[in-house]
Amino acid sequence: MKSIHQTISMVSLGFALLIFNPALAQVDADSVMIRKIYTQVLKDHTMDQNLRELVYKIGPRISGSAAAEQTVVWAKSVMEGYKPDRVYLQPVTVPRWERGDTERAYFSASGGKSRLDISALGGSIPTDGILQSEVVEVNSWKALADMTDAEIAGKFVFFNRAMDPTEVEVFKAYLKAVDQRSLGAIAAAKRGAVGALIRSLTLSKDNVPHTGAVSYDEKVKKIPAVALSTISADRLSAALKADPRMILSLELKCRLLSPVRSNNVIAEIKGWEFPQEIVTLGAHLDSWDLGQGASDDGTGLVQSMEMLRVFNQLGFRPARTVRVVLYMNEEAGAHGAVEYARQATLNGEKHIAVMESDAGGFAARGFRVEAGSKALKQFRQWAKLFETYKAGDIQLEQRGIDLVPMKNKALALISLDCDDSRLFDIHHSRLDTYDKINPREVAMGAAAMSAMVLLISKYGLQ
Amino acid sequence: MKSIHQTISMVSLGFALLIFNPALAQVDADSVMIRKIYTQVLKDHTMDQNLRELVYKIGPRISGSAAAEQTVVWAKSVMEGYKPDRVYLQPVTVPRWERGDTERAYFSASGGKSRLDISALGGSIPTDGILQSEVVEVNSWKALADMTDAEIAGKFVFFNRAMDPTEVEVFKAYLKAVDQRSLGAIAAAKRGAVGALIRSLTLSKDNVPHTGAVSYDEKVKKIPAVALSTISADRLSAALKADPRMILSLELKCRLLSPVRSNNVIAEIKGWEFPQEIVTLGAHLDSWDLGQGASDDGTGLVQSMEMLRVFNQLGFRPARTVRVVLYMNEEAGAHGAVEYARQATLNGEKHIAVMESDAGGFAARGFRVEAGSKALKQFRQWAKLFETYKAGDIQLEQRGIDLVPMKNKALALISLDCDDSRLFDIHHSRLDTYDKINPREVAMGAAAMSAMVLLISKYGLQ
């Protein structure tokens, strides 16, 4: 406890600073306001209640599904409760894919069938009944390129390149391996393969397959594509070493349906000084169909909405217009983000910064920023304000899928950066459930984002 | 991928630096060695296997128990496998306390007994049968001081001050509240109370009581002391508001037994250049009897032992003597750490630094260091080397219970600093189990500690 005497001294000191150093006083005013934001977020449970409502009442919400539409209605309603100037839907047409009721794979081993843990990749075509064939394993693109067409044609290509555990950032290990999942089916089909089997993108050794989007090329034959759990991948690899002519059977009943109308959900607080200049933060409404979409991107959704609640509670009206943009369909083509950027251009909007949270909602370390050197310098100056909260790490990098369509349309693209130790253990799998979430971590990230919106909306960016 | 040309240029550049700037080349050599340490820890699963062996084969291991002695034998055996110069036991006498088979508390509410979730605090005396009395709730020391003896005498004092959720560091919120648990029984007994009921030290709202040591004063009557889950604490508080004369019943069959002989476990690699100068890292062998002691301090144990494995694998012999010290009885008096410091003094040992890991094994952010200004400057210079691994946050603070007896005997007291968002959700409770652990986080912390030992053992401290 400070004595009254000390408190008076500090007030006097603050007053001296106000007279003699307006810049310092400004920093002090910002730090006071940011402290208010953190206090408001940390002492309240509303955001955590929102997340539990989302994952338990709606659950997984793959783009195009009824659950995704429920999420639209829910998010609009929650944000309206925080009294922004406006909440509206932005229509967007999205693809629709269903996993179906059957997905299984096995190979014949001594003593019977050996079942593999698989999940169809999102967007995969089904098999026509049971697809049976030999398997060739590759651990690099070069290994695939070095094979003859005859070695590949009519077989499954098994992409078994593991994520590199020695990368400091697990996210980088993911980025180094994700091309197998996104492009494996095209590369394999070009060489005449009948299916693509992808080692799950996780450092965990377990029996959980991790899905994700597969890309097809309209000029290349589509082939079914599935993720294998890492244990199944190791088992398949061992079985192939024992018997390279071994037959694998795959059955998928997933299907691509007609595209449907869906929506982005947008909330807006008009800026009092520069209403034409827009700062957004957001996350994606859709999730994969496995798990609950708690971490990806339930946490980002509730963190974004929390800014409205906090600004409302603190009676804070920003100088520039602030938007929460909740994008539909990040996981399967980012159609929502593309539409948002298209409308922004059509309407001649001036976007200062677009920010997103899609890194799992774990302990916030700072921000990944793509911006010009002058704006970047501003962020680095602000870093001090976030270091108090362990979130002062500003790195020059673009990470957000939903931000890509706004490249060159906004002065800065910003992603909340979180500790990534745990993300890929659960990512795109049935393990992405509420029990993996820590409300405190989600809160610290939400406060960091709201504080960043405060600064950008107040000062703008160069 | 870098081209060969680029690689040659970089080698030439490196060579130029070697010629013209030995200091830079030195930093480079350190960063190369530290990278080797991280790679060795991250690519290997031994440490995680050690942790699983500890928690599943031995489990909780309260000081003085058979499980604690098994832990001594196990830790010695694991460390011997890593071929240090010497592994030995250091005898220490420790108190022994058992929870017993009964602990229950309830109050009479409309419609019957309302049960409370409780755990006796470690070291608490039992009740003599069922102890029944009224309850007075206090939320501060001042509130207790302001009451008359008549208001307190013969009653339970219910210490219901909650941890402050707005603290940036949860650890600080814990430190601000832990005095209720450690000193509440003494303070209440001085005023004539018959028992102390303590709100669990966690930000979680759940039905899990969190234990921990209670202190007694030989001059003050000992009274039973228990922790209540936060939900039970809220429920009791509400019930007291409805009926301040309500009777609470408590029954505890815990007991304090005779002290027993136990051991610290110490492994040593002799320094090749300054064998008399000692750098230690360590953790505590004992845990509470609830949960598995996975996070507290299983992670610290295996992280400390991992240094021996890594140095052995890399063929690294330090310039100064390096010790792993695994302390017995951190949780109930730190008798092991006291004995270690006593022996160090008796033997006239020269301790450069003592380091510990006892913050849960979560994502490592850096180190808390208590040292003189010159040594602190060295740590801050080294911070750059750790920033690459997100562990460059050096803060001046002393945190480790097991380090206290070495104060003024070593130039630096160092604690691994970890993200503390999750620690107090599980701390000292049945939730402290392996499933809360992330092996990647444990690995990053172990690598940071080994890297710090490398630097101190190479350069010493001023």
Side-chain angles (χ1 to χ4, degrees), chain A residues 337-349:
Chain A
V338 169
E339 180 60 17
Y340 178 77
R342 196 176 74 86
Q343 293 290 340
T345 305
L346 280 177
N347 298 329
E349 290 176 355

Side-chain angles (χ1 to χ4, degrees), chain A residues 60 62-63 65 96-104 117-127 209-214 225-228 250-257 287-291 331 427-430:
Chain A
I62 193 167
S63 181
S65 66
R96 190 171 167 206
W97 175 86
E98 281 181 358
R99 185 171 300 281
D101 58 4
T102 302
E103 46 184 23
R104 56 198 180 111
D117 314 306
I118 61 157
S119 284
L121 294 186
S124 173
I125 62 162
T127 57
H210 296 241
T211 192
V214 61
V226 300
L228 276 70
L250 176 69
E251 185 176 16
L252 299 181
K253 291 192 177 167
C254 47
R255 53 192 186 141
L256 201 60
L257 304 165
S287 76
W288 282 109
D289 55 334
L290 310 168
E331 297 290 8
H427 188 246
H428 293 186
S429 81
R430 66 171 182 257

Side-chain angles (χ1 to χ4, degrees), chain B residues 6-245:
Chain B
Q6 279 178 307
T7 307
I8 289 173
S9 300
M10 290 181 68
V11 169
S12 312
L13 181 64
F15 191 59
L17 288 174
L18 270 171
I19 294 172
F20 295 111
N21 195 331
L24 267 186
Q26 197 54 68
V27 167
D28 195 53
D30 289 337
S31 71
V32 167
M33 190 67 193
I34 289 173
R35 178 66 253 193
K36 281 184 186 166
I37 289 172
Y38 272 87
T39 297
Q40 178 59 232
V41 176
L42 290 172
K43 77 178 187 190
D44 193 276
H45 296 286
T46 309
M47 180 172 49
D48 188 45
Q49 282 158 10
N50 284 341
L51 182 57
R52 278 183 282 160
E53 213 171 278
L54 173 66
V55 302
Y56 291 123
K57 291 197 182 162
I58 299 177
R61 46 201 177 278
I62 194 167
S63 183
S65 67
E69 292 320 292
Q70 282 174 49
T71 310
V72 167
V73 173
W74 170 82
K76 182 165 183 284
S77 157
V78 170
M79 293 204 289
E80 282 167 346
Y82 302 145
K83 314 284 181 207
D85 295 321
R86 198 179 160 211
V87 183
Y88 59 102
L89 304 184
Q90 184 175 62
V92 53
T93 300
V94 297
R96 192 174 167 202
W97 174 86
E98 281 181 357
R99 184 170 301 280
D101 58 4
T102 301
E103 45 184 24
R104 56 200 181 109
Y106 54 87
F107 57 87
S108 300
S110 56
K113 289 179 186 173
S114 182
R115 188 83 177 250
L116 297 165
D117 314 306
I118 61 156
S119 284
L121 294 186
S124 173
I125 62 162
T127 58
D128 183 8
I130 298 176
L131 178 59
Q132 293 190 308
S133 184
E134 290 180 24
V135 179
V136 288
E137 176 179 341
V138 295
N139 290 288
S140 66
W141 293 118
K142 184 169 183 305
L144 185 68
D146 286 350
M147 292 177 121
T148 64
D149 286 351
E151 287 175 290
I152 300 170
K155 299 181 186 168
F156 290 101
V157 175
F158 169 33
F159 293 89
N160 194 28
R161 175 162 36 113
M163 272 169 56
D164 177 1
T166 70
E167 275 289 340
V168 172
E169 295 193 355
V170 186
F171 207 101
K172 281 205 182 132
Y174 173 76
L175 293 178
K176 277 165 60 182
V178 70
D179 52 356
Q180 300 173 96
R181 190 195 72 207
S182 54
L183 303 174
I186 296 172
K190 275 186 182 167
R191 306 295 301 282
V194 297
L197 315 170
I198 321 289
R199 183 187 182 89
S200 280
L201 299 171
T202 178
L203 291 173
S204 288
K205 202 57 84 61
D206 61 20
N207 57 5
V208 179
H210 296 241
T211 191
V214 61
S215 296
Y216 288 125
D217 181 333
E218 289 309 319
K219 294 174 204 145
V220 180
K221 186 172 191 296
K222 293 183 182 183
I223 59 174
V226 301
L228 274 71
S229 75
T230 49
I231 285 178
S232 282
D234 287 348
R235 200 148 50 76
L236 178 59
S237 182
L240 284 168
K241 279 181 187 63
D243 177 10
R245 307 294 308 270

Side-chain angles (χ1 to χ4, degrees), chain A residues 278 350-354 370-371 406-413 461:
Chain A
I278 301 167
K350 184 175 180 184
H351 279 262
I352 306 301
V354 287
E370 182 174 311
M406 290 299 286
K407 199 170 155 71
N408 302 322
K409 291 186 169 72
L411 294 172
L413 310 182
L461 285 178

Side-chain angles (χ1 to χ4, degrees), chain A residues 414-459:
Chain A
I414 309 168
S415 294
L416 182 70
D417 183 37
C418 300
D419 187 277
D420 56 5
S421 308
R422 292 172 186 246
L423 176 58
F424 294 97
D425 296 355
I426 61 174
H427 188 246
H428 293 186
S429 81
R430 66 171 182 257
L431 299 180
D432 182 1
T433 48
Y434 179 78
D435 56 303
K436 314 305 188 308
I437 299 299
N438 181 274
R440 173 93 189 172
E441 292 174 354
V442 182
M444 292 296 280
M449 291 219 296
S450 289
M452 185 56 90
V453 168
L454 165 83
L455 292 171
I456 302 174
S457 66
K458 181 171 176 182
Y459 296 106

Side-chain angles (χ1 to χ4, degrees), chain A residues 35 42 165-170 362-363 368 388-390 393 419 421-422 425 436 438 440-441, chain B residues 35 42 165-170 203 362-363 368 388-390 393 419 421-422 425 436 438 440-441:
Chain A
R35 178 65 253 194
L42 289 172
T166 70
E167 274 291 340
V168 172
E169 294 192 356
V170 186
F362 299 99
R368 304 277 162 152
T388 310
Y389 305 97
K390 316 279 181 195
D393 189 15
D419 187 277
S421 308
R422 292 172 186 246
D425 296 355
K436 314 305 188 308
N438 181 274
R440 173 93 189 172
E441 292 174 354
Chain B
R35 178 66 253 193
L42 290 172
T166 70
E167 275 289 340
V168 172
E169 295 193 355
V170 186
L203 291 173
F362 299 99
R368 305 276 160 152
T388 311
Y389 305 97
K390 316 279 181 196
D393 189 14
D419 187 278
S421 308
R422 293 173 184 246
D425 296 355
K436 312 304 187 310
N438 181 274
R440 173 95 189 171
E441 292 174 353

